[in-house]
Amino acid sequence: MTFVEVDHIDRVFPLPDGGEYIALKNIDLKIRKGEFITLVGHSGCGKSTLLNIISGLDKPTVGGVVLEGRQVTEPGPDRMVVFQNYSLLPWLTVRQNIALGVNRVLRELPESERNGIIQKHIDMVGLAHAADKMPGQISGGMKQRVAIARALAIRPKLLLLDEPFGALDALTRGGLQEQLMRICEESQVTCVMVTHDVDEALLLSDRVVMLTNGPESNVGQVLEIPFERPRSRMEVVNHPNYYGLRNEIVYFLNQQKRVKQKKVKPLVAVAKNGLEKVNLDIGFIPLTDCAPLVVAKEMGFFEKHGLTEVTLSREPSWKAIAQGITGRRLDAAAMVTGMPLALTLGLGDSAPQPIVSALTLSRNGNAIVFSKQLYNEGVRTLEDFKALIDRTPDKVHTLGMVHASSMHNLMLRYWLASGGIDPDKDVSLTVIPPAQMVANLKAGNIDGYCVGEPWNARAVHEGLGFVIANDLDIWQGHAEKVLGVREDWANQYPKTHLALVKALLEACEYCDDRRNREGILEVLCRPHYLGTDPAYTRPGFLDAYDRGDGSPLRSYLNYNQFFTSKTNYPDRVEALWAMVQMARWGIVDFPRNWLEVTERTWRTDIFGQAARELEMLDFGRDRRPIVLGDGTVFNPDDPIAYLNALEIKRDINIVEVALDPIAV
């Protein structure tokens, strides 16, 4: 049960020049009662700012903190802070410093009972011999023990510690750490602590929350600490997982250090109209979910934002999209979700080409179609297909997908593997451009495929196949198409890039207003865009969906999703899932510095700026594990453990990816 909820916190500070500094961005954290949470990150990442917001000493710009169902709006005795500098009153004795809070907060208790509480906490921290001494007469370690006793004596619900042992020598610090651990376990107090000490975090914590660099610091990774309580230092250090966990935290901190060091100042020439470039060639594939690009062009959103000469280039395949971007023929493109990551890491024999995405264009919209021949052989479910494969070991079934890095490929493989089918050994997967899927199915070259609309609905409409599964069955709400540009292009034309994101974000909002869908459909079906019959472009986009298996038509309101439910935020957890799945099947090596790669590629800062300038919500989607349709949970904080636990996979290669300096 949640005891403390940090609910999508932003903290923005005004600057003297009229600008603003975003210290914290979309901090979302749930803390259980009795839990010990440690905040770790480099200086300037906002650890102390977050602690101050939880304590009520500072207020968030966006979001809030809830403690036991009540919002925190100001400091209170239910939250006590222990600072690094002790903050004792020098003219009062140890006993009097502790008594100050007790007599104020617990004044309704009899004096004898209050004195008993004071003495108990003096004894608890081992200061009975120094109870009547002034702070100037005791050591730094003893002063910190007084501060802890003073905080605990008023029986707070939440203890907040801001580097409480940072100024102490190693021996004193070690003793106080063990004493704090014992006190917290006995009192069952909930704690949030800021520290720079990795070993301290491991010793004391139930979870370590690692924050990325500022500005716009966010939760980069959360590490569960599995050591049982009560703990002793030697048992923790000798635990077989200790050094693995320690290396995980150190690795995260080193990643963040590299990110900070690699940033350099840009050199940008700004044109008279305020944009560096207004003539853009943007690639797309003829699919229903190219609608935001078409709408931005036809409804004037590109022009509204200063992009007066935009050409939408209809490409024959996703391979052509990738080549157009890396070969500099295209300025930008609608890409399949995994493509920016795959190109950044180096897909196949290609050299790495850093790609950035600051906008998710669409979610859902895919289906897996099987031929009517398989239907006639009794295949209705994944289990039926597995049974057919087992019955006919000499028959190799061929399934089409559109690109190695596409969600079509990754979700088709995931779906097959969830049913015990190895996608590389039990079936044959082949790459076919989307517009050629139906023709290949009709010719008998393939037994099925996974693709976006309208090519699934067309197969159903023409009686060639049936939908055995779609996105809503496998992973409802996943990212499908994203805006992709070369990183060097984004750095050379930052204002143009921002204008492009803003135009498409407004177009996405327009697409999800269902009152506009009839008009959008008419434009989409024109020859230079989809060139398809509206009869098989309507299902899912406007009309109820026919799966072609004799079941009733189904209404899928979010089958093509463009704006609602925070569609457009570049979700790094989803990016990580895609990268993990690509590594699972040997498409790319898995980067040991995965957080650095996703932060480099999924540009939440550019999205946030665009959303704010459009006066839209700029906060992200909840950072939480992904639960897929088969009940499997993907934990974004431990992707390597997830990979290792998979039963069906290829040999996984985990490497450190060297990234060139960032020009911003």
Side-chain angles (χ1 to χ4, degrees), residues 59-86:
K59 293 184 178 181
T61 309
V62 175
V65 176
V66 177
L67 173 62
E68 282 196 316
R70 299 183 64 181
Q71 186 172 358
V72 172
T73 58
E74 60 184 2
D78 55 352
R79 286 150 284 127
M80 286 299 293
V81 184
V82 177
F83 298 100
Q84 182 177 344
N85 61 357
Y86 323 127

Side-chain angles (χ1 to χ4, degrees), residues 473-506:
D473 303 317
I474 303 169
W475 177 8
Q476 182 171 348
H478 73 82
E480 173 49 29
K481 300 298 188 304
V482 300
L483 176 66
V485 302
R486 295 189 318 278
E487 186 185 66
D488 59 355
W489 186 96
N491 295 336
Q492 186 177 0
Y493 309 118
K495 294 188 177 182
T496 298
H497 187 207
L498 181 63
L500 177 60
V501 173
K502 288 162 66 176
L504 287 171
L505 186 52
E506 284 201 303

Side-chain angles (χ1 to χ4, degrees), residues 536-663:
Y536 48 74
T537 311
R538 297 180 67 91
F541 186 75
L542 260 172
D543 295 346
Y545 196 84
D546 182 7
R547 296 177 72 119
D549 58 0
S551 63
L553 299 184
R554 307 183 191 186
S555 294
Y556 296 138
L557 291 179
N558 291 324
Y559 187 65
N560 287 118
Q561 183 176 318
F562 300 103
F563 184 79
T564 60
S565 302
K566 305 177 187 176
T567 284
N568 309 110
Y569 187 82
D571 191 331
R572 289 170 177 165
V573 173
E574 292 178 328
L576 179 59
W577 185 90
M579 198 156 51
V580 163
Q581 296 300 320
M582 287 191 285
R584 176 185 188 178
W585 306 116
I587 298 167
V588 297
D589 293 334
F590 186 76
R592 181 66 184 80
N593 51 330
W594 50 267
L595 183 65
E596 187 179 6
V597 171
T598 54
E599 287 185 340
R600 177 84 172 259
T601 310
W602 254 233
R603 292 296 297 275
T604 58
D605 56 330
I606 297 172
F607 169 82
Q609 184 178 353
R612 289 190 294 274
E613 291 186 10
L614 293 172
E615 297 184 351
M616 294 180 178
L617 296 177
D618 67 335
F619 57 82
R621 295 159 65 82
D622 291 347
R623 187 186 184 281
R624 57 189 176 193
I626 294 170
V627 182
L628 287 98
D630 63 351
T632 300
V633 177
F634 171 70
N635 178 7
D637 294 314
D638 202 352
I640 294 175
Y642 174 89
L643 276 169
N644 291 334
L646 294 168
E647 292 184 9
I648 301 177
K649 59 188 173 186
R650 305 286 76 83
D651 292 334
I652 295 167
N653 193 24
I654 300 174
V655 300
E656 180 82 14
V657 175
L659 297 174
D660 294 330
I662 306 171

Side-chain angles (χ1 to χ4, degrees), residues 307-351:
L307 303 170
T308 55
E309 299 178 42
V310 173
T311 300
L312 297 185
S313 176
R314 175 171 165 164
E315 302 291 320
S317 67
W318 290 111
K319 182 178 180 181
I321 289 280
Q323 290 174 339
I325 290 291
T326 58
R328 301 174 183 270
R329 175 175 60 84
L330 297 173
D331 295 286
M335 291 184 170
V336 287
T337 299
M339 187 176 284
L341 296 159
L343 294 178
T344 297
L345 295 172
L347 182 62
D349 297 327
S350 301

